[in-house]
Amino acid sequence: MAFSADELRVLRRALAIALHPAPLQDEDVQDCLRLADTVDEAVREAGRLRAFLLDDLARYREALPGSLSGYVELLRDALAAGYDPGADDLAALRALRRNPAAAELLARCQVLAERSVRARLARVSQATASTAPSVSRARLLALPGGRAAADEPKPKPPAPAERPVPKPSEVFPPRRRPVPPPPPEERVAG
């Protein structure tokens, strides 16, 4: 995002006011509000552009292998913009790995996808650790199926729900016999 000289002047003034609070003039307030609107519009436009590029990437992916060069170029641009490759991207690149550009991109996407998954798992484990009460981890060390599991009686599986067995006539209704066509009328030669 680039700011004009006027916008930078307003931003500098707003930061100075934030660091050293002072009464604001109406003009300063209006300038800050206009700058905030401009920044909000730029963020919305960036979101629209990202959605368009991701839709375009999906269209190229669906048209593979005929759109290989365009897909590879769009995927590179998306990765440079911070896109995390999805399962569809990895599957498409695996199918095209005979192409050197696709093979190189597949290796890069696998690393990025693995990094993304690890980051999501770390966030989830941090979130659950911060919300869960402190619990002793000793009981988590025993895995089901070990020696302790052999000593315990095995629970009986739940009985399946009783359903009446349908009669064959309910499953296969009786066939209706075809009605024979009426006999042809005899012609009298006269």
Side-chain angles (χ1 to χ4, degrees):
M1 180 186 293
F3 291 105
S4 70
D6 209 25
E7 290 171 335
L8 282 175
R9 181 183 51 80
V10 172
L11 184 60
R12 177 179 267 165
R13 228 178 340 162
L15 290 173
I17 292 169
L19 291 174
H20 305 288
L24 295 174
Q25 298 176 4
D26 289 340
E27 182 182 322
D28 290 340
V29 172
Q30 293 302 320
D31 288 343
C32 289
L33 290 174
R34 267 187 301 238
L35 179 63
D37 289 341
T38 304
V39 170
D40 289 343
E41 178 59 31
V43 168
R44 284 191 298 272
E45 183 62 30
R48 285 191 294 268
L49 179 61
R50 180 177 172 84
F52 172 77
L53 291 176
L54 292 180
D55 288 344
D56 209 19
L57 182 66
R59 281 192 294 277
Y60 272 82
R61 184 176 48 241
E62 289 171 5
L64 286 172
S67 63
L68 176 65
S69 61
Y71 175 70
V72 167
E73 183 180 332
L74 280 174
L75 185 57
R76 279 188 181 137
D77 291 344
L79 293 174
Y83 172 69
D84 285 333
D88 293 339
D89 296 310
L90 294 173
L93 290 171
R94 282 188 195 108
L96 301 167
R97 70 177 127 209
R98 291 181 188 219
N99 181 295
E104 176 266 327
L105 205 52
L106 174 62
R108 182 175 170 200
C109 286
Q110 285 175 329
V111 169
L112 291 173
E114 183 177 337
R115 191 178 302 156
S116 174
V117 168
R118 288 180 188 271
R120 275 186 267 145
L121 287 174
R123 283 193 301 267
V124 168
S125 66
Q126 287 176 353
T128 57
S130 65
T131 59
S134 90
V135 177
S136 170
R137 296 270 181 179
R139 66 188 169 119
L140 297 177
L141 297 176
L143 298 175
R147 280 189 287 174
D151 298 339
E152 296 174 6
K154 297 189 181 202
K156 294 181 181 179
E162 293 291 327
R163 286 186 6 202
V165 178
K167 297 177 190 172
S169 62
E170 294 172 345
V171 176
F172 304 104
R175 285 192 194 171
R176 299 186 188 261
R177 295 193 179 145
V179 178
E185 297 179 9
E186 294 181 14
R187 290 188 175 178
V188 179

